[in-house]
């Protein structure tokens, strides 16, 4: 996956106001509409909270939850797989929310954000 030409490598940069050292990486396959997310750069989620992954269209802002970072999406240590990504996302983001997730992203809990380059 890391070396495949079919995957785009997207660095999700830190939100300084929320967590100044957080980062994550997305390996996005545009053909298969799936992504692997490396969350090694995120702090451990506090008790009762979970990270949620979003794909975004930016104009107009249209978020779609890809799911939660938890055991069901884990494929290796700190690596999570998400499928059925909306066509042509322009960005990916990770937020922190309640264990069941949120309907929409909570910007005050936005940990990382990165844009997809053509």
């Amino acid at each position: 996956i890391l070396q495949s030409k079919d995957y785009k490598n997207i660095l999700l940069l830190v939100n300084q106001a929320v967590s100044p050292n957080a980062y994550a990486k997305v390996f996005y396959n545009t053909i298969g509409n799936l992504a692997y997310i490396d969350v090694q750069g995120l702090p451990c989620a506090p008790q009762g909270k979970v990270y949620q992954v979003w794909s975004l269209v930016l104009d107009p802002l249209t978020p779609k939850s890809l799911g939660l970072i938890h055991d069901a999406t884990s494929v290796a240590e700190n690596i999570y797989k998400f499928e059925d990504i909306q066509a042509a996302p322009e960005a990916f983001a990770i937020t922190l929310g309640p264990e069941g997730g949120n309907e929409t992203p909570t910007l005050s809990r936005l940990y990382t954000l990165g844009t997809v380059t053509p």
Side-chain angles (χ1 to χ4, degrees):
I1 292 170
L2 295 176
Q3 297 173 341
S4 172
K5 64 180 176 36
D6 295 330
Y7 283 84
K8 291 184 179 193
N9 184 352
I10 304 155
L11 180 61
L12 303 185
L13 298 175
V14 63
N15 178 352
Q16 289 288 334
V18 175
S19 183
N21 297 316
Y23 69 91
K25 295 178 189 172
V26 175
F27 301 94
Y28 171 52
N29 182 311
T30 59
I31 298 166
N33 287 327
L34 63 99
Y36 290 88
I37 302 187
D38 177 353
V39 298
Q40 182 176 345
L42 291 178
C44 291
Q47 180 112 13
K49 302 286 185 181
V50 66
Y51 288 109
Q52 188 168 359
V53 179
W54 303 88
S55 65
L56 307 167
V57 171
L58 299 175
D59 190 22
L61 183 60
T62 309
K64 178 186 178 203
S65 175
L66 298 181
L68 304 175
I69 294 175
H70 58 67
D71 291 343
T73 56
S74 177
V75 294
E77 185 176 350
N78 293 319
I79 306 290
Y80 298 83
K81 181 179 179 181
F82 296 92
E83 301 179 85
D84 299 324
I85 297 170
Q86 69 192 31
E90 297 172 336
F92 289 92
I94 299 176
T95 59
L96 183 70
E99 286 184 346
N102 286 315
E103 292 292 317
T104 59
T106 305
L107 296 180
S108 65
R109 302 305 297 167
L110 175 71
Y111 272 68
T112 62
L113 175 69
T115 57
V116 178
T117 56

